[in-house]
Amino acid sequence: MSEPLTAALRADEQPPTSGPRRFRIGVVGAGRVGAVLAASLRGAGHEVVSVAGESDASRGRIADLLPGVSIDKPSAVARDCDLLLLTVPDDMLGNVVSVLADSGALHEGQYVVHTSGRHGLAILAPAIAVGARAIALHPAMTFTGTGVDLERLGGCTFGLTAEVEEREVAAQLVADLGGDTMWVPETRRALYHAGLAHGANHLVTLVTEAMELLAAAGADDPAATLRPLLTAALDNALEHGDAALTGPIVRGDLNTVRAHLDGISAEAPTTLPSYLALARATLSRAVTDGRLTPMRALTITQVLDAAALAQPVRARWTS
């Protein structure tokens, strides 16, 4: 018998390799994140058996993204699944886990997965105590809670924290969601989440304030005015970091900065605290990378300090 044929017969005799594990998933918290992740996992072949969600918005998301899935109480959802997805607000998570564990709804060997960016495994201690297997799985993405998010999950990074025994399943879940894995140590969860919040949440505030300034200056469509500039700035910053900095601070244009401060103080004083804070941060980074001399930076700092002292009391309270 030829060697290739012999090898083929030997291969046929091997037991078939098992594919990725498929879970019976329950979801507690059908918010924007929970409904979307559950729908994506359902599309990857997992069975979503039940969901807990009481608000009209949650029930609407369940109907749109998880048609046919039953709605039940959190304890019933937890009892009926072998992977429980907890997508509740950060400040509620600890209490939800404790209540479910104390009620006997969690069981040994069950995977309990939360999506909080701030928390790691410690928050799941009550579940671990009854023998459940804990995973922290946080998508670095902002969600609308609609089908639009499903496509956005592709290439999304997930901040994962898990013990060695749970890492394979954690990585499989991210792969099923179409995402990329970033392992975050338990002690670094808050720092990880701070980086995301500072970059994304504060960006929304910054852009909104910039649009308000442009509207006050007479722009009919502030968003359209900003979009090309912001898109280029974001791409350059992600690619080059501090080297992408441009503008009057980096150039040391003292009089331009002074004019900005005068205009903002007169027309949009509530924006002044954030402008001052970001101007100071930009100054520091420009000096550190050598693009601005310490003496010039000191002169600009004095102008910023004077504007801070002169700002209206109301604006100071909002800083």
Side-chain angles (χ1 to χ4, degrees):
M1 185 179 294
S2 67
E3 181 59 29
L5 182 55
T6 302
L9 290 174
R10 285 200 299 266
D12 289 341
E13 293 170 359
Q14 300 300 315
T17 57
S18 60
R21 181 173 176 183
R22 296 302 173 213
F23 291 98
R24 299 179 72 257
I25 296 175
V27 184
V28 172
R32 296 182 180 184
V33 177
V36 170
L37 294 186
S40 182
L41 290 170
R42 191 187 199 187
H46 300 277
E47 180 187 3
V48 180
V49 292
S50 58
V51 183
E54 297 182 357
S55 70
D56 290 341
S58 292
R59 289 175 179 265
R61 280 187 285 267
I62 295 168
D64 291 340
L65 295 170
L66 299 166
V69 175
S70 63
I71 300 174
D72 214 330
K73 296 180 179 178
S75 58
V77 171
R79 285 189 175 93
D80 197 32
C81 65
D82 50 35
L83 189 150
L84 178 63
L85 190 61
L86 298 175
T87 54
V88 298
D90 286 2
D91 288 349
M92 292 176 56
L93 181 57
N95 184 60
V96 169
V97 176
S98 294
V99 169
L100 291 176
D102 291 344
S103 69
L106 305 180
H107 53 267
E108 185 175 358
Q110 181 182 39
Y111 285 87
V112 178
V113 182
H114 77 68
T115 59
S116 166
R118 168 192 168 195
H119 293 295
L121 303 182
I123 196 76
L124 298 178
I128 296 171
V130 300
R133 309 181 71 170
I135 296 173
L137 181 151
H138 174 259
M141 177 62 65
T142 183
F143 287 78
T144 65
T146 68
V148 172
D149 298 330
L150 294 172
E151 188 172 334
R152 291 176 178 171
L153 288 176
C156 170
T157 295
F158 286 77
L160 287 177
T161 303
E163 298 293 353
V164 174
E165 295 81 2
E166 285 73 56
R167 284 197 165 204
E168 183 178 353
V169 166
Q172 178 202 323
L173 292 173
V174 171
D176 288 343
L177 291 165
D180 298 321
T181 295
M182 174 184 174
W183 294 103
V184 183
E186 177 79 9
T187 57
R188 301 283 177 160
R189 291 292 296 195
L191 188 63
Y192 154 80
H193 194 237
L196 298 177
H198 189 42
N201 303 152
H202 297 170
L203 176 64
V204 173
T205 301
L206 174 63
V207 172
T208 301
E209 288 187 345
M211 288 195 295
E212 290 172 352
L213 291 176
L214 286 173
D220 293 329
D221 189 347
T225 303
L226 277 173
R227 185 171 286 109
L229 175 65
L230 293 183
T231 299
L234 179 59
D235 288 344
N236 288 340
L238 292 173
E239 183 72 21
H240 303 293
D242 282 338
L245 276 173
T246 63
I249 293 287
V250 176
R251 291 193 299 265
D253 292 339
L254 175 64
N255 290 329
T256 298
V257 173
R258 184 182 282 120
H260 287 180
L261 296 170
D262 290 344
I264 293 172
S265 297
E267 301 292 340
T270 56
T271 299
L272 189 61
S274 58
Y275 183 98
L276 291 170
L278 289 171
R280 289 191 175 98
T282 303
L283 267 175
S284 176
R285 302 188 79 88
V287 170
T288 298
D289 73 6
R291 298 174 64 187
L292 192 66
T293 66
M295 185 61 69
R296 194 62 171 170
L298 177 60
T299 303
I300 295 176
T301 297
Q302 291 170 343
V303 171
L304 297 176
D305 290 344
L309 290 173
Q311 67 181 302
V313 173
R314 183 182 173 209
R316 292 186 203 174
W317 287 347
T318 62
S319 63

